[in-house]
Amino acid sequence: MYYLLPFRFERFEDSELLVNEVGDYLFCPQGTAARIVNREISKDEELYHDLLANFFISPTPIPPTIDILAARLRTKKAFLDSFTALHIFVLTLRCNQNCVYCQATSQQECAHGKDMKLPDLLKAVELMFRSPSEHLTMEFQGGEPSLVPHLIRAAIEKAEALNQTAHKTLTYVLCTNSVHLTDEVLTLCKQFNILISTSLDGPRNLHNSNRGKIDSYEKVVAGIALARQTLGEDKVSALMTTSVPALDYPKEIVDAYRENGFRSIFIRALNPYGLATENNDWEAYTTRFIEFYKQMLDYIIEINKSGELFVEEFTRLILQKILTPFPIGFVDLQSPAGIVNSVVVYNYDGGVYASDESRMLAEAGDYTFRLGNISDTYESLFYGEKAQHFADCWATETIAGCSDCALQSYCGADPVRNYSTQGSMYGHRPTSLLCRKYKAIIEHILSLLKNRNEEVMPIFTQWIKGRNA
Amino acid sequence: MLTLTIDITIFSDEVISKAVYWETNQYIVSRQLNGKTETLTFEPKPQCTENEAALKERFLTRLNDFKVQQIVDNETKDLRTILYIKAFANNDDFEAITE
Ligand code: SF4
């Protein structure tokens, strides 16, 4: 006789995938879950001991290891302990590029009234310091934030002053297209140890056509080189956005990153905000994106097998969820969702938003996820009615579809995306393209672990260790 | 249009609802209770190209899987609550609850 512990399962290829409450998984023959509940697993079977050791069954009604299990669960959700750690400051909506997939509804470089006002900025920094988190990340976004270095300086100087008494760990990130990194900007980055997060879309032709400019690639590559030279190699990272034309070039994009000295890439799908909504066949795009992801990951695995370390960051995040007890600091794959809990946005117009995507919706005239104004109190913004309303549907553990899903521990809830694509924060998993994408990617990674374990495990372990070291 | 009659003494409303939920991307499903059975009618949405045999096989598999999941959920409900309390509640509060 044995007792059950909470777990979920799904049919997986020719077998069954079992995942317990803390994300441990087992591949078993089909029908195993039914055998478990029917008490058909005998102590003589190896499976019995695997189930016991992996917290799927217990010899007693309350497992002797319940405290270990509770500690594991608490660790998995440790991102909640510190509450909002990522604070995004949209300093301006102005930009010097014209990207075809722009998700931020950026404005011409010379536009008026699109910069954050200084008093708002300083008040926003004060709000940030109300967060209980010991670690605060200030991320400067736009538009193109390098167009307003005086605002970056003012924000950081205010933060440094407040930190004289708060003693938090501060991280500064400048999200820039790198086409115009002036001496003033680089001096600022060096002085305050600001990390540069830039974007490179792949080879020259693809990058330039995405940016709507003929010389963007040369400028970005030169900007990256200059930033590395001034700040150090490890201070510059890059993101790619998979535009529709990019879907045909998985290998070429990876090679462009390698040629430009990057040791990793973050494969990122388009999202349905801003100008990006002009690509309106999301169903076809999602199907193609999933294939693109698989092709790119296969190519990256081959590169690693040849002895060159090259990491795909999204895969690494999911692997960290599958293979380690630790939470990840990635707001899109969290439950409860990243909005408010882990991220908040102070917009150029004085609004406070639940996430980056929330303010992009606002640019299209929809203020559903506007928490209030920078001038409001911390309590009303972070614990107010709006935040409480979002909480009704921000956990995969509680929403229809996700609550029974075996992949729940590895996935995340996203009320903002549900709202923008399906018209309700609660969402509808059977028709959700986000669900389809996450499911396909997580299942692909699990399939690699199941079918090509000896080949991929040394690589994946190195990816995870590199980050946790 | 596929019609299935389900014995509700074998499959609970919760189990049927969960299985139906995942079919709603391709089908409009109507449900009719008749005593100890429930009749489900699956009307394909315009984009649906699936044949009835495939739908029937998948739906019955889902019903059985959700029934197994329901047993796990029912049997572990209290333990799951204890686990979450132990993991997240303030320890003093928990002692007060269990005393
Ligand atoms: S979004 Fe989809 S894949 Fe993710 S937990 Fe929910 S049902 Fe599962």
Side-chain angles (χ1 to χ4, degrees):
Chain A
M1 178 59 177
Y2 53 83
Y3 299 85
L4 305 185
L5 297 182
F7 72 88
R8 287 166 287 276
F9 71 99
E10 72 171 34
R11 283 160 200 262
F12 196 99
E13 299 168 356
D14 56 351
S15 58
E16 209 163 80
L17 169 71
L18 273 54
V19 184
N20 71 12
E21 198 68 23
V22 291
D24 299 330
Y25 72 97
L26 273 182
F27 285 111
C28 302
Q30 280 200 1
T32 299
R35 287 187 66 219
I36 294 172
V37 303
N38 291 330
R39 305 303 195 274
E40 288 173 13
I41 315 287
S42 92
K43 280 188 182 168
D44 305 333
E45 289 181 60
E46 202 183 322
L47 178 62
Y48 177 90
H49 300 281
D50 284 345
L51 294 170
L52 206 60
N54 288 287
F55 302 106
F56 287 91
I57 59 172
S58 160
T60 52
I62 303 277
T65 49
I66 190 159
D67 287 333
I68 298 174
L69 208 52
R72 295 262 321 269
L73 185 58
R74 188 178 176 90
T75 304
K76 278 265 171 204
K77 304 284 184 188
F79 63 91
L80 290 172
D81 289 347
S82 49
F83 205 40
T84 328
L86 174 59
H87 297 254
I88 296 174
F89 294 76
V90 182
L91 297 180
T92 180
L93 217 53
R94 293 184 294 125
C95 188
N96 47 15
Q97 297 285 280
N98 190 20
C99 304
V100 290
Y101 55 68
C102 181
Q103 302 172 359
T105 328
S106 294
Q107 305 288 313
Q108 294 291 321
E109 193 171 349
C110 56
H112 288 290
K114 299 295 177 185
D115 294 352
M116 192 185 259
K117 294 189 179 74
L118 187 61
D120 281 347
L121 176 59
L122 301 181
K123 180 75 194 352
V125 177
E126 285 171 11
L127 280 172
M128 175 180 78
F129 269 83
R130 292 289 311 279
S131 168
S133 179
E134 286 304 309
H135 303 269
L136 296 175
T137 297
M138 289 179 84
E139 189 170 293
F140 301 110
Q141 283 198 17
E144 173 50 44
S146 68
L147 295 176
V148 285
H150 64 289
L151 292 180
I152 301 174
R153 177 174 289 281
I156 293 180
E157 284 178 351
K158 175 79 178 176
E160 292 286 323
L162 291 172
N163 209 31
Q164 292 291 320
T165 49
H167 306 299
K168 295 178 187 273
T169 310
L170 298 177
T171 304
Y172 305 117
V173 181
L174 176 62
C175 297
T176 171
N177 58 32
S178 299
V179 300
H180 193 55
L181 291 174
T182 60
D183 282 348
E184 184 183 7
V185 172
L186 287 170
T187 303
L188 198 57
C189 291
K190 197 164 177 63
Q191 183 183 355
F192 293 108
N193 207 13
I194 302 174
L195 304 173
I196 301 254
S197 173
T198 191
S199 49
L200 180 68
D201 290 341
R204 178 181 286 105
N205 288 349
L206 179 64
H207 182 96
N208 284 343
S209 80
N210 277 353
R211 304 290 157 151
K213 303 266 177 185
I214 53 164
D215 57 354
S216 177
Y217 180 85
E218 280 70 19
K219 285 184 174 171
V220 168
V221 168
I224 290 170
L226 183 62
R228 281 184 174 143
Q229 194 187 328
T230 316
L231 309 171
E233 294 275 332
D234 59 329
K235 297 288 189 285
V236 184
S237 64
L239 280 172
M240 58 102 32
T241 302
T242 313
S243 61
V244 176
L247 292 165
D248 292 325
Y249 302 102
K251 289 186 180 177
E252 292 81 354
I253 293 169
V254 171
D255 288 340
Y257 267 67
R258 293 162 75 207
E259 280 157 21
N260 283 293
F262 288 104
R263 301 273 61 90
S264 68
I265 193 166
F266 196 130
I267 307 177
R268 207 167 54 140
L270 279 177
N271 71 30
Y273 306 100
L275 293 181
T277 51
E278 283 171 19
N279 165 40
N280 54 16
D281 192 350
W282 285 101
E283 179 123 16
Y285 174 81
T286 304
T287 305
R288 288 188 67 199
F289 176 81
I290 291 165
E291 266 325 294
F292 167 86
Y293 168 84
K294 289 179 184 173
Q295 287 170 14
M296 200 183 239
L297 183 58
D298 251 350
Y299 184 53
I300 291 171
I301 289 170
E302 288 309 312
I303 290 168
N304 281 269
K305 276 166 65 183
S306 74
E308 177 185 336
L309 176 65
F310 191 88
V311 181
E312 199 291 293
E313 293 289 345
F314 190 65
T315 308
R316 185 185 60 71
L317 289 166
I318 290 172
L319 285 168
Q320 203 171 335
K321 290 195 121 195
I322 297 174
L323 299 174
T324 83
F326 306 113
I328 57 171
F330 182 59
V331 297
D332 293 359
L333 284 178
Q334 285 182 359
S335 175
I339 55 170
V340 189
N341 291 307
S342 298
V343 60
V344 73
V345 175
Y346 309 101
N347 205 19
Y348 74 97
D349 60 359
V352 181
Y353 291 90
S355 67
D356 205 22
E357 288 82 359
S358 306
R359 62 111 177 176
M360 292 170 188
L361 271 176
E363 289 303 329
D366 188 328
Y367 299 95
T368 305
F369 295 93
R370 185 181 171 114
L371 297 167
N373 293 312
I374 289 171
S375 56
D376 294 340
T377 64
Y378 176 81
E379 287 73 16
S380 71
L381 291 167
F382 289 78
Y383 303 111
E385 270 180 29
K386 279 230 169 168
Q388 289 176 35
H389 179 47
F390 305 155
D392 288 343
C393 56
W394 71 15
T396 51
E397 286 85 349
T398 62
I399 55 178
C402 301
S403 63
D404 295 303
C405 178
L407 309 179
Q408 184 198 99
S409 306
Y410 314 135
C411 201
D414 196 339
V416 184
R417 183 65 65 87
N418 292 343
Y419 175 84
S420 71
T421 57
Q422 300 195 297
S424 94
M425 284 184 217
Y426 192 87
H428 180 246
R429 257 53 64 195
T431 48
S432 162
L433 294 176
L434 190 67
C435 171
R436 188 201 289 182
K437 182 182 82 175
Y438 282 158
K439 209 177 184 64
I441 289 177
I442 296 168
E443 285 180 346
H444 182 67
I445 294 169
L446 284 164
S447 171
L448 290 173
L449 292 171
K450 175 176 174 275
N451 301 320
R452 292 167 58 186
N453 192 281
E454 278 185 23
E455 181 190 349
V456 299
M457 202 50 134
I459 297 166
F460 289 169
T461 308
Q462 201 182 7
W463 289 7
I464 299 169
K465 278 198 181 138
R467 186 50 62 127
N468 289 334
Chain B
M1 184 117 68
L2 176 72
T3 302
L4 288 176
T5 303
I6 311 287
D7 185 335
I8 60 169
T9 62
I10 299 174
F11 297 105
S12 69
D13 174 50
E14 204 166 350
V15 166
I16 298 170
S17 299
K18 286 178 177 181
V20 165
Y21 178 73
W22 281 105
E23 300 300 342
T24 54
N25 57 337
Q26 295 195 83
Y27 298 92
I28 298 163
V29 188
S30 46
R31 304 175 59 178
Q32 173 97 46
L33 262 182
N34 341 283
K36 291 207 161 105
T37 62
E38 180 168 338
T39 303
L40 305 179
T41 308
F42 296 81
E43 186 188 331
K45 289 184 181 173
Q47 76 276 12
C48 178
T49 53
E50 193 178 44
N51 64 42
E52 287 188 359
L55 164 64
K56 188 172 175 183
E57 186 184 342
R58 187 187 53 246
F59 185 74
L60 293 179
T61 303
R62 276 192 172 141
L63 268 185
N64 284 306
D65 285 353
F66 277 120
K67 180 171 171 150
V68 171
Q69 185 66 58
Q70 196 66 43
I71 296 171
V72 177
D73 293 352
N74 290 346
E75 284 192 32
T76 60
K77 186 168 172 274
D78 293 340
L79 181 69
R80 197 162 179 246
T81 306
I82 295 171
L83 190 62
Y84 273 79
I85 292 173
K86 271 187 171 282
F88 301 110
N90 178 309
N91 276 343
D92 296 342
D93 293 348
F94 179 53
E95 296 309 323
I97 291 167
T98 53
E99 265 165 21

